[in-house]
Amino acid sequence: MSITDTCMPPWRDGPAYRRAPGMVLPQGVSPNLALDQHLSHRIAAGERVVHLGLGESRLPVHPALIERLADAAPAHSYGPVAGGETVLRAAAGYFTRRRLPTAPDQIALAPGSKAALFALIAALPGDVVLPRPCWVSYAAQTLLAGRRVTRVPVPAECGGVPDPLVLRENILEARRRGHDPRIVILTVPDNPTGTMAAPETVRRVCQVAEAEGLVVLSDEIYRDIRHDPALPYLSAAEVLPDRTIVVTGLSKNLALGGWRIGLARFPAGEWGHRLRAKVLAIGSEVWSTVAAPMQEVAAYALDEPPEIVDHLESSARLHGAVAVAVHRVVIAAGARCNPPQGGFYVYPDLEPARAILAAKGIVNASSLQSCLLDRWGIAVLGGHHFGDEPGSLRFRAATSQLYGRTADEQWDSLRAADPTRLPHVAGQLALLRDALAALTDEAG
Amino acid sequence: MSITDTCMPPWRDGPAYRRAPGMVLPQGVSPNLALDQHLSHRIAAGERVVHLGLGESRLPVHPALIERLADAAPAHSYGPVAGGETVLRAAAGYFTRRRLPTAPDQIALAPGSKAALFALIAALPGDVVLPRPCWVSYAAQTLLAGRRVTRVPVPAECGGVPDPLVLRENILEARRRGHDPRIVILTVPDNPTGTMAAPETVRRVCQVAEAEGLVVLSDEIYRDIRHDPALPYLSAAEVLPDRTIVVTGLSKNLALGGWRIGLARFPAGEWGHRLRAKVLAIGSEVWSTVAAPMQEVAAYALDEPPEIVDHLESSARLHGAVAVAVHRVVIAAGARCNPPQGGFYVYPDLEPARAILAAKGIVNASSLQSCLLDRWGIAVLGGHHFGDEPGSLRFRAATSQLYGRTADEQWDSLRAADPTRLPHVAGQLALLRDALAALTDEAG
């Protein structure tokens, strides 16, 4: 893993190439995006696929956002790397309303939270501790930044955070191996598990991070998609304000993945200020700025006018209703699965059906993913893509793909008292139920 | 330069930090963007500044592009990392019409050509050879990717390419120093010099690149801004089709810097295909995709309908007319300066006035930049930012800043038979003339 994987040209007319240390290139396109590209061809060719592979909210853009983008079209200057003053102020307000008092100069925009995360890992010192399982890109970004990954199992009851009981021990073990863990990434609510770490868990993870001198990157991109708004939320930035950087964006809560709007919130004070300057320096050499019209959209959305608040709430309700329905289906099929609490994922474990699956040649997450797609038309990502044990029978289903193919169907889903009874949702759920039943049936 | 400059946290409760090899972070925000941010505050505070600091085309967005963006606002899916099929086809057509036959699968979009360049340097093996002077970001990106820079002087008659007479010798010398030069970047037409390498020069540089086993990154972002369309243009990709990657974008030709649309064209065949896959893998972990609505704009623009062709032509005429007028002003002030041929820059050398400037405390490019701004209100970037000799008295003036502050003034500039006679252009030119006259006058 310590050798840069670069693209050697076929000619060898110079001296032998000396491999550079540092960056380790990803082996291919990020697996969720790769699967989506693959499926779009199969679906376009008429194949019937229940696409649960991509973590994209299949909801239409709110009309007010479309209007803002159209109005902002004449904006075409580069502007400041961090984003213009209006959007920085709006972002500061967004966090301040979430118990994180924030000044505009603590904010930096990026073309997606992904870009912000990459720049943060590159700007911070040391290696990275990840929960296992976790989002597909953290590890790839860490290697790309020339750092090493330590994976720490999540607690039994939720994902998104390392189990606080074993975190310290894993950090010490990593140091014995010569690693230098300095960063821990938390995802609350979590992708892939769809669960949400309880405040007490976040607090205990933060205590270990502090004791061991780690910086916390708190990925809160699903924060606005809590299925039960009454469930208490604690950001690591409330526990460790001086050493937590929060990243978020509008891709998930407002279904704007294709608009590329992300942001980071840095600690107040000298260190946070210097870290932000480093991130902006990297941004200035890689992406320059977030597209100017998108910044105007972001300023509007982050101000959270009533129509956006309503939209966020009804979106979270829909995400919850469908995730719960899918959870019911996977449980009925005999899987173990924590109940979903946020985002739009479930992460079932078919371990109880291992013997039956083995008889069908399904012996690990990879063969589970392949067979589900090829034999039953169900597209999911195997747990191995999230750094989970390859031999496990776990997979992630992105339930947000079930709201309908057309904007009309999606609006209907959003407005329905019980979206799971709409024909276009119920039909997909039934296909999933039948496929999982066949999968886990000895004769299936 | 071999030590990663990361942001150490103030607490030291863990063991001592071991510095990682590889990436070298930029020291700050890219100087052109930094200067622009700095100036926007001073100008907003009422200061009179002739802003020639930022390489941004101060022309309004063509209305057809605004209309396309507004129409495309509902597009909000992630889509393929490289870009959707429509825009890939349009980009292939764009290059094919420029004597570079191209299939859609040779194209990858990126949020700016800057992002494409970074990913290319990271994906290719080896160190990087740059012309001296060259665009501010190539060197920063090279260091960020953990590689080393060799700077080779440009020929006397143009910038943007290493002098072919000394290129090989410089490569061999770099190898003796332990470097591993494998990439050479060409900029035709050039930023900062505003000149354009002749076909024969491009050909000779390519011959050396081939003999020495180097890959060519051909930055053609100013290709559509040739002041005299009759001047012959040769792309390195015509000379070395198997080992040249072309990067370009819509920031300069269509004044869309703030829309973040860039693209790369890879060689046909197996190696180009694998390199593109690497670049897409990096892109998938850093920026995901170009914003979906921007892709629709790009597809329209790269198809080059007649109204866009007209707009490109009249923009190039305006850029040429004003660059020539600024060239006249700097020559009159006693500077040496190659006549501008493309883009919107001049790169004067005040060496002939060294004695006079020294008496005013101006002894190098840095003090020249500072004094021009602080004493005469002329904002430029000193040659040192482009890797040029710090002791030189050279600077870059971005002449595209002179077209007016309002869209109305800018449209007038675009439509005028002689834009340099418009009061808002002539007034700025007069300020520049007076400032340079005072600068180079013994009593000034």
Side-chain angles (χ1 to χ4, degrees), chain A residues 8-374:
Chain A
M8 276 303 296
W11 58 90
R12 301 296 176 102
D13 22 24
Y17 168 60
R18 297 183 308 95
R19 288 181 178 278
M23 304 179 92
V24 179
L25 302 197
Q27 285 306 300
V29 162
S30 184
N32 45 347
L33 297 172
L35 177 62
D36 188 55
Q37 282 176 237
H38 173 70
L39 287 177
S40 67
H41 290 292
R42 289 172 66 156
I43 292 170
E47 198 172 326
R48 197 187 69 180
V49 175
V50 180
H51 181 356
L52 305 171
L54 180 68
E56 174 172 73
S57 173
R58 281 285 160 99
L59 284 174
V61 185
H62 191 282
L65 296 168
I66 293 179
E67 203 180 302
R68 285 307 172 293
L69 182 62
D71 290 349
H76 69 117
S77 289
Y78 290 98
V81 176
E85 284 176 29
T86 312
V87 67
L88 297 187
R89 267 200 311 276
Y94 173 91
F95 287 111
T96 300
R97 286 189 297 279
R98 283 160 178 76
R99 297 191 307 276
L100 297 172
T102 308
D105 68 357
Q106 287 173 255
I107 302 291
L109 260 63
S113 63
K114 192 181 263 186
L117 277 161
F118 170 71
L120 277 161
I121 295 170
L124 286 163
D127 295 320
V128 178
V129 177
L130 299 177
R132 180 172 67 208
C134 69
W135 179 52
V136 293
S137 287
Y138 301 137
Q141 295 187 318
T142 301
L143 297 175
L144 185 56
R147 312 306 171 80
R148 289 161 301 191
V149 169
T150 294
R151 295 186 188 271
V152 179
V154 297
E157 71 278 9
C158 70
V161 296
D163 188 331
L165 293 175
V166 297
L167 174 57
R168 178 169 322 193
E169 172 189 317
N170 278 254
I171 291 171
L172 297 179
E173 167 58 26
R175 288 190 183 133
R176 280 193 293 273
R177 285 201 315 276
H179 287 210
D180 185 24
R182 295 288 182 158
I183 303 166
V184 58
I185 303 186
L186 313 184
T187 320
V188 186
D190 181 38
N191 171 14
T193 67
T195 60
M196 190 166 89
E200 187 49 28
T201 310
V202 171
R203 207 181 302 276
R204 289 170 63 201
V205 167
C206 285
Q207 280 161 359
V208 179
E210 184 171 28
E212 294 302 323
L214 271 62
V215 170
V216 179
L217 296 189
S218 183
D219 185 345
E220 304 186 2
I221 197 155
Y222 296 100
R223 180 171 180 160
D224 295 337
I225 313 182
R226 302 196 306 286
H227 303 162
D228 175 1
L231 260 189
Y233 188 94
L234 182 68
S235 169
E238 294 176 83
V239 188
L240 296 177
D242 293 341
R243 61 171 86 197
T244 300
I245 300 95
V246 179
V247 291
T248 187
L250 306 183
S251 296
K252 308 302 180 186
N253 60 355
L254 289 170
L256 294 179
W259 285 20
R260 312 310 306 129
I261 300 169
L263 56 157
R265 175 196 180 273
F266 294 83
E270 176 57 23
W271 179 72
H273 185 74
R274 279 192 293 122
L275 177 61
R276 177 176 181 261
K278 293 269 175 225
V279 166
L280 293 178
I282 295 170
S284 80
E285 301 299 5
V286 180
W287 60 76
S288 292
T289 60
V290 166
M294 295 305 177
Q295 293 191 27
E296 298 197 20
V297 170
Y300 163 78
L302 292 167
D303 267 339
E304 297 179 286
E307 65 275 17
I308 292 298
V309 172
D310 285 352
H311 191 63
L312 290 174
E313 285 172 3
S314 57
S315 299
R317 264 198 310 275
L318 170 62
H319 293 310
V322 176
V324 164
V326 174
H327 181 255
R328 213 174 287 136
V329 168
V330 300
I331 292 292
R336 294 194 297 238
C337 188
N338 278 328
Q341 298 170 296
F344 31 69
Y345 307 104
V346 296
Y347 191 70
D349 185 347
L350 284 167
E351 193 60 37
R354 181 172 287 277
I356 294 170
L357 268 55
K360 301 179 186 194
I362 298 172
V363 295
N364 54 27
S366 172
S367 51
L368 177 58
Q369 173 183 329
S370 303
C371 277
L372 268 174
L373 180 56
D374 294 339

Side-chain angles (χ1 to χ4, degrees), chain A residues 360-400:
Chain A
K360 301 179 186 194
I362 298 172
V363 295
N364 54 27
S366 172
S367 51
L368 177 58
Q369 173 183 329
S370 303
C371 277
L372 268 174
L373 180 56
D374 294 339
R375 293 178 53 185
W376 291 284
I378 307 292
V380 298
L381 278 179
H384 57 300
H385 289 299
F386 305 95
D388 212 342
E389 292 152 31
S392 79
L393 295 171
R394 294 192 271 272
F395 64 88
R396 187 197 73 174
T399 57
S400 52

Side-chain angles (χ1 to χ4, degrees), chain A residues 4-23 25-31 33 36-37 41 54-61 65-67 69-70 72-82 85 111-112 114-116 118 121-127 135-138 140-141 144-148 175 178-180 182 209-215 242-243 251-252 254-260 271 274-278 280-294 410, chain B residues 4-23 25-31 33 36-37 41 54-61 65-67 69-70 72-82 85 111-112 114-116 118 121-127 135-138 140-141 144-148 175 178-180 182 209-215 242-243 251-252 254-260 271 274-275 277-278 280-294 410:
Chain A
T4 304
D5 175 18
T6 46
C7 200
M8 276 303 296
W11 58 90
R12 301 296 176 102
D13 22 24
Y17 168 60
R18 297 183 308 95
R19 288 181 178 278
M23 304 179 92
L25 302 197
Q27 285 306 300
V29 162
S30 184
L33 297 172
D36 188 55
Q37 282 176 237
H41 290 292
L54 180 68
E56 174 172 73
S57 173
R58 281 285 160 99
L59 284 174
V61 185
L65 296 168
I66 293 179
E67 203 180 302
L69 182 62
H76 69 117
S77 289
Y78 290 98
V81 176
E85 284 176 29
K114 192 181 263 186
F118 170 71
I121 295 170
L124 286 163
D127 295 320
W135 179 52
V136 293
S137 287
Y138 301 137
Q141 295 187 318
L144 185 56
R147 312 306 171 80
R148 289 161 301 191
R175 288 190 183 133
H179 287 210
D180 185 24
R182 295 288 182 158
E210 184 171 28
E212 294 302 323
L214 271 62
V215 170
D242 293 341
R243 61 171 86 197
S251 296
K252 308 302 180 186
L254 289 170
L256 294 179
W259 285 20
R260 312 310 306 129
W271 179 72
R274 279 192 293 122
L275 177 61
R276 177 176 181 261
K278 293 269 175 225
L280 293 178
I282 295 170
S284 80
E285 301 299 5
V286 180
W287 60 76
S288 292
T289 60
V290 166
M294 295 305 177
Q410 293 164 1
Chain B
T4 304
D5 175 19
T6 46
C7 200
M8 276 303 295
W11 58 90
R12 301 295 176 102
D13 24 22
Y17 168 61
R18 299 182 307 97
R19 289 180 178 278
M23 305 178 90
L25 303 197
Q27 285 306 299
V29 162
S30 184
L33 297 172
D36 188 54
Q37 282 176 235
H41 290 291
L54 180 68
E56 174 173 73
S57 174
R58 281 284 160 99
L59 284 175
V61 185
L65 297 168
I66 293 179
E67 202 181 303
L69 182 61
H76 68 118
S77 289
Y78 290 97
V81 176
E85 283 176 32
K114 194 181 260 184
F118 170 71
I121 295 170
L124 286 163
D127 295 319
W135 180 51
V136 294
S137 287
Y138 300 136
Q141 296 188 317
L144 185 57
R147 313 306 171 80
R148 290 161 300 191
R175 288 190 184 133
H179 287 209
D180 184 25
R182 294 290 181 157
E210 184 172 28
E212 294 302 323
L214 271 62
V215 170
D242 293 342
R243 62 170 86 194
S251 296
K252 308 303 180 184
L254 288 169
L256 294 179
W259 285 19
R260 314 309 307 130
W271 179 72
R274 279 192 293 122
L275 177 62
K278 293 268 175 224
L280 293 177
I282 295 171
S284 80
E285 302 298 5
V286 181
W287 61 76
S288 291
T289 60
V290 167
M294 295 303 177
Q410 293 164 3

